[in-house]
Amino acid sequence: TVDGVITGDLVAGAYSIDINGVVNGSTNVFANSVSVGGTTNGSVRAFAGRVVIDGLIGGSVLSGGRSITLEKGGVISKEAHLFGKQITCEGTVLGDMNAFGENIILSGTVEGDATLKGKHITVIPPAIIKGKLICAWSGSLEIDSTGGVILGNGVEISQSKDGEDEEEDGSVLTTIVMKSSQILAAFLF
């Protein structure tokens, strides 16, 4: 648990990591459970079974896990790259958001483009996407534009038949692991 101030970067691996204080650099964590409720002035790279962001991130976020949630009070100042089975965005992303998962729910604000690729995608009020909404799905897509979802710069949608993506690109989980590994390798080397 981080309740104070870290003047540099935070690099940690543990069963559970809770950040309630301030990290003046970047946060790089690997754990079963990660909670970022404080302030990180740099970027966050979090790989865990469960990732919850409810604080202020001054940079970008790269996260991979089974469940990734940007809570209503969470703010990502730059772009978000999220890879998981269940991705929920109720907070604010001030840049572009790229989410790749099985189930994606967007009800927050994205100032840039929102690229959502998965099996089931749901965009519900009070979602605001100021850039372009780009969706690719193989199961179900729900965009509740009559109920208050605001789309600023158009929508691009494409549906693949069930199993089509798996034959060409592997399963969603394989895609998540491969993309996360490539990004992580680029970061480390």
Side-chain angles (χ1 to χ4, degrees), residues 7 10 19 33-34 40 47 51 56 63 67 82 96 99 101 107 124 128 133 147 155 158 174 176 179 183 186:
T7 57
L10 170 63
I19 302 167
S33 175
V34 173
T40 297
F47 298 91
V51 177
L56 172 63
S63 185
S67 170
L82 311 173
D96 293 340
S107 63
I124 56 176
I128 298 171
L133 173 62
V155 179
S158 62
T174 301
I176 291 167
K179 287 185 181 288
I183 292 170

Side-chain angles (χ1 to χ4, degrees), residues 2-5 8 16 19 28 35 40 74 80 92 97 106 110 112 116 123 128 130 132 150 157 162-163 183:
V2 176
D3 288 322
V5 177
S16 179
I19 302 167
N28 304 289
S35 174
T40 297
T92 302
M97 179 176 128
L106 174 59
V110 179
L116 312 176
V123 182
I128 298 171
K130 293 189 177 177
K132 186 177 286 187
I150 299 171
I157 58 174
D162 282 336
I183 292 170

Side-chain angles (χ1 to χ4, degrees), residues 1-10 17-29 34-45 52-61 70 73-77:
T1 300
V2 176
D3 288 322
V5 177
I6 295 178
T7 57
D9 292 341
L10 170 63
I17 298 173
D18 295 313
I19 302 167
N20 302 313
V22 176
V23 178
N24 284 322
S26 292
T27 297
N28 304 289
V29 291
V34 173
S35 174
V36 182
T39 299
T40 297
N41 292 318
S43 294
V44 170
R45 294 165 200 94
V52 177
I53 298 172
D54 192 22
L56 172 63
I57 311 301
S60 60
V61 170
L70 176 59
V75 177
I76 300 171
S77 298

Side-chain angles (χ1 to χ4, degrees), residues 119 135-141 157-162 164-165:
K119 188 170 185 179
C135 293
W137 79 100
S138 62
S140 63
L141 172 67
I157 58 174
S158 62
Q159 181 181 19
S160 60
K161 296 177 186 169
D162 282 336
E164 186 177 283
D165 288 338

